Amino acid sequence: MRKRNGILPNAKEHLGLVILIVFVSLFLIKNVFFNKNLNNDRMVLENPKTYDLNLSSKALVIKDEYLYYIGKNNIEVDNSKVGVDKEIGEVDVSKVDQNFKDYLAEKVQALQEQEDNKDSKVKNIDLEDVLKHIRDKDFSKTFDILSSDQNKTAFGKKYSSDKLFRYSLLNDTINSGKIVSKNSGVVLNKIDGLENVYDFSVIDSIDEKDFNFDNANNISNIDGIKIVDNLKYYLCIRVKAETLEDIDVDKSIKVNVGNSVATGIIKRVKKGSEYDLIVAQFSSAFNEIADKRFIDLNVIKTVSSSFELPLTALTSKDGEDYVLVVDSFGNIKRAKVNVKFIDKINSKVYIDSKNSSVGIFSNILKDASKVKEGAILK
């Protein structure tokens, strides 16, 4: 009996050890199985970074450009800047159509008369209506509007000084056979025919319809001579709606165009259901846009001190943003986060590293939608 009594305590100890081993084994099996299944579905946060995000978009280029000649010529240009009253070269005007000469002469005379008209009671021209017909390529309707008795003086009062100058450049070249610069800028020997459509006077009227002119061949390819002011130009940037929510007039915007990065000042923002339009003024990277009307570019968005996650990792409840965190025991919990920026183009979300309930080494589920509500600990 004494022997049995001596064995019993040891048996109890062994039984307790077996139970402990079983529980530990089950825990390890559970976690190994869980980790194996979630290993590809979660990510471990590393040190927060500052990201320069490239958001793909398109832009309409609006330059201050002056047309001097339309047609083939032997003038060599090297894209160097010229000053005022510099002779660029001579062109053969002997084959210029007489009807075109007459049209220019009449246009210059009409603009001169409008420029001299001082009637201040005439209603301003409806530029939106004019642009609508230009976009629809209904140029006869455009001409009818501009030629109406009501608009002749209005057009003259508001635009005749600039238009008179522009048409006079062509008229002078055709009459003299010589191209003499009347404005400073860069000389180019290719035009696209939209020089006098998209100038600075239409900045406030640009909308999404203007991108209907966009096509694969967007580089100037018509023979001619023009001088473009290289000190200032505008980009009308089209981005997906609500891609950039913190944009506003007079704020800066940075873009990557060609091989250059340029920073501009936003002058106008027009939000739409499908696209937002941002008109910004630039003074650098001119060589990247000199001979182009439509360009592909990236808007650069800088996000500092952030964790980058797939957009699918973000979930919400009761108006708050969360991610799902997996702890060392395999439990799934919600962690409240502060969203700095959502990149809808590339399906990424950027979490504020300083004001969120996650940090370095947090295990985040990549797709919160795969977890049922009942599996999340309260």
Side-chain angles (χ1 to χ4, degrees), residues 35-54:
N35 289 338
K36 183 178 180 181
N37 282 275
L38 282 184
N39 189 46
N40 294 327
D41 294 330
R42 63 181 178 174
M43 59 186 296
V44 179
L45 296 185
E46 300 178 350
N47 289 322
K49 299 178 182 178
T50 294
Y51 296 88
D52 281 334
L53 311 179
N54 288 304

Side-chain angles (χ1 to χ4, degrees), residues 129-312:
D129 195 27
V130 174
L131 286 176
K132 175 184 181 300
H133 295 296
I134 290 176
R135 293 170 189 136
D136 294 339
K137 300 185 180 180
D138 188 353
F139 299 111
S140 62
K141 184 64 176 177
T142 303
F143 180 78
D144 289 342
I145 294 174
L146 297 181
S147 302
S148 68
D149 292 337
Q150 180 181 353
N151 286 326
K152 276 183 179 179
T153 306
F155 183 71
K157 283 177 64 61
K158 191 170 184 180
Y159 303 106
S160 63
S161 180
D162 178 67
K163 299 301 181 185
L164 175 61
F165 178 73
R166 291 174 184 274
Y167 278 100
S168 293
L169 298 176
L170 269 175
N171 194 50
D172 291 346
T173 299
I174 289 175
N175 287 331
S176 67
K178 295 182 179 181
I179 298 178
V180 179
S181 62
K182 296 300 180 182
N183 67 294
S184 59
V186 174
V187 183
L188 300 176
N189 59 5
K190 294 292 182 180
I191 65 176
D192 67 0
L194 297 175
E195 283 78 10
N196 288 335
V197 174
Y198 290 120
D199 59 25
F200 288 177
S201 68
V202 301
I203 292 297
D204 293 333
S205 302
I206 296 297
D207 68 19
E208 188 179 322
K209 295 177 183 177
D210 289 285
F211 285 82
N212 290 337
F213 283 105
D214 190 10
N215 54 62
N217 187 14
N218 59 23
I219 298 177
S220 302
N221 57 10
I222 303 172
D223 290 322
I225 294 293
K226 65 181 177 182
I227 299 179
V228 185
D229 184 355
N230 63 334
L231 298 179
K232 180 175 72 173
Y233 64 92
Y234 291 89
L235 294 180
C236 180
I237 304 166
R238 184 182 70 178
V239 297
K240 286 185 178 180
E242 299 181 356
T243 297
L244 298 169
E245 297 181 352
D246 59 345
I247 54 175
D248 204 354
V249 173
D250 293 331
K251 283 189 174 182
S252 63
I253 184 170
K254 187 162 63 172
V255 300
N256 189 330
V257 50
N259 296 318
S260 302
V261 174
T263 300
I265 301 298
I266 297 174
K267 297 297 183 181
R268 180 170 172 261
V269 176
K270 185 174 183 179
K271 293 186 176 292
S273 58
E274 186 176 0
Y275 292 102
D276 292 336
L277 298 182
I278 306 164
V279 178
Q281 178 183 316
F282 293 83
S283 59
S284 61
F286 174 81
N287 289 339
E288 301 287 355
I289 57 90
D291 62 345
K292 298 178 178 66
R293 184 66 60 189
F294 293 93
I295 59 174
D296 294 317
L297 54 73
N298 291 320
V299 177
I300 301 174
K301 171 70 177 180
T302 300
V303 185
S304 58
S305 301
S306 300
F307 297 119
E308 181 188 70
L309 300 173
L311 186 54
T312 51

Side-chain angles (χ1 to χ4, degrees), residues 53-55 311 341-350:
L53 311 179
N54 288 304
L55 309 177
L311 186 54
F341 180 69
I342 294 178
D343 180 356
K344 295 181 180 179
I345 296 176
N346 300 303
S347 298
K348 300 285 186 180
V349 61
Y350 295 85

